[in-house]
Amino acid sequence: MADSSKIYPRTGDAQTVYLKNVITRPNIEAGDYTMYNDFIHDPAEFEQNNVFYQYPINQDRLIIGKFCSIACGAKFLFNSANHTMASLSTYPFPLFFEEWGLEKKEVAAAWDNKGDIRIGNDVWIGYDAVILAGVTIGDGAIIGARAVVTKDVPPYTVAGGVPAKPLKKRFDDDTIAWLLRLKWWDWPEEKIKKNIRAIQSGRLDQLE
Ligand SMILES: CC(C)(COP(=O)(O)OP(=O)(O)OC[C@H]1O[C@@H](n2cnc3c(N)ncnc32)[C@H](O)[C@@H]1OP(=O)(O)O)[C@@H](O)C(=O)NCCC(=O)NCCS
């Protein structure tokens, strides 16, 4: 039976983890069965190697749904990376408050805050893609290899490029609406198991 409480779902494969079981930061969440594969670094070090500039003072969150596939090197760039552009200079004076006699409590004025990163359910993020702060990626979307995602990606949309643009929809609008109502990822495991062949084959009429 599928068991989302494991770290390593595949026997003998230490390059693939269920993400939720290797996360320690309170401001990162990953849903059941969402997996990360890394053949260069230890996938258990996802937080250190893939989630950048997420400082606790900022309280920005990475929320990832269930059954996502995150490829090696995909990265999430948070708000402390956004040197403020509301200033005459992008030099982060507030970060170097001791040097310039500024107040430590104003350190967050060094960056522009664009908000959380939200990844839906059943999202596939390709190799080396970069997702910027404030972006929401809808259920069922696909992010191409090496994309830089600067704007929201609608559900069941394939997006790619720098900056990422929608390349195509995965299904027609009626089917997408139907899938978004179906939310198969919220079904009990037993029901998913029964329907795996129909889900895989794309035969919606065969779903039980
Ligand atoms: C995005 C992706 C899924 C699209 O696959 P596809 O539907 O077979 O795409 P196609 O080859 O039909 O390409 C459709 C268009 O998107 C473009 N495109 C495809 N992938 C792209 C990418 N990563 N970045 C930018 N453009 C891309 C193609 O050039 C083509 O453009 P055109 O219509 O102007 O000719 C695939 O190209 C990709 O990037 N997969 C990621 C693979 C990966 O990283 N796997 C990691 C292991 S999990």
Side-chain angles (χ1 to χ4, degrees):
M1 195 59 205
D3 174 8
S4 70
S5 67
K6 289 177 189 161
I7 292 183
Y8 301 102
R10 282 163 42 85
T11 308
D13 175 2
Q15 297 183 335
T16 307
V17 294
Y18 281 150
L19 209 45
K20 69 168 191 177
N21 302 321
V22 299
I23 282 167
T24 62
R25 287 188 204 164
N27 47 358
I28 304 182
E29 278 172 36
D32 292 345
Y33 300 104
T34 280
M35 57 94 167
Y36 176 60
N37 171 267
D38 197 318
F39 47 85
I40 298 171
H41 302 291
D42 180 355
E45 290 178 0
F46 173 82
E47 288 174 332
Q48 291 77 20
N49 296 330
N50 303 72
V51 185
F52 293 163
Y53 307 103
Q54 189 189 33
Y55 300 159
I57 185 176
N58 231 20
Q59 296 184 354
D60 38 14
R61 293 178 304 158
L62 172 58
I63 315 279
I64 306 175
K66 301 177 188 173
F67 291 96
C68 293
S69 310
I70 303 180
C72 186
K75 292 184 185 65
F76 302 86
L77 254 56
F78 271 91
N79 291 291
S80 305
N82 300 330
H83 290 209
T84 182
M85 293 197 287
S87 155
L88 288 184
S89 165
T90 54
Y91 189 81
F93 287 106
L95 266 188
F96 299 93
F97 56 89
E98 296 142 300
E99 292 279 276
W100 301 100
L102 300 171
E103 298 275 343
K104 184 177 181 186
K105 63 179 183 335
E106 284 171 30
V107 70
W111 52 79
D112 291 335
N113 204 332
K114 297 184 176 182
D116 298 336
I117 297 178
R118 290 176 181 276
I119 313 295
N121 303 281
D122 191 13
V123 172
W124 173 30
I125 301 182
Y127 174 80
D128 240 1
V130 173
I131 320 293
L132 295 183
V135 163
T136 294
I137 298 179
D139 295 327
I142 298 176
I143 307 302
R146 292 241 152 115
V148 175
V149 187
T150 60
K151 297 209 161 72
D152 292 355
V153 177
Y156 288 99
T157 299
V158 183
V162 181
K165 302 276 185 210
L167 299 169
K168 56 184 162 185
K169 298 249 178 196
R170 292 186 54 203
F171 305 104
D172 62 53
D173 288 348
D174 286 349
T175 307
I176 291 175
W178 187 82
L179 283 163
L180 292 173
R181 283 195 303 275
L182 190 73
K183 293 184 189 297
W184 65 262
W185 43 82
D186 287 336
W187 289 351
E189 279 161 29
E190 226 8 87
K191 185 167 175 187
I192 294 176
K193 201 172 175 192
K194 250 195 221 163
N195 283 283
I196 279 181
R197 294 214 181 277
I199 292 172
Q200 276 195 293
S201 66
R203 291 291 304 272
L204 304 180
D205 57 315
Q206 287 179 359
L207 287 174
E208 290 179 33

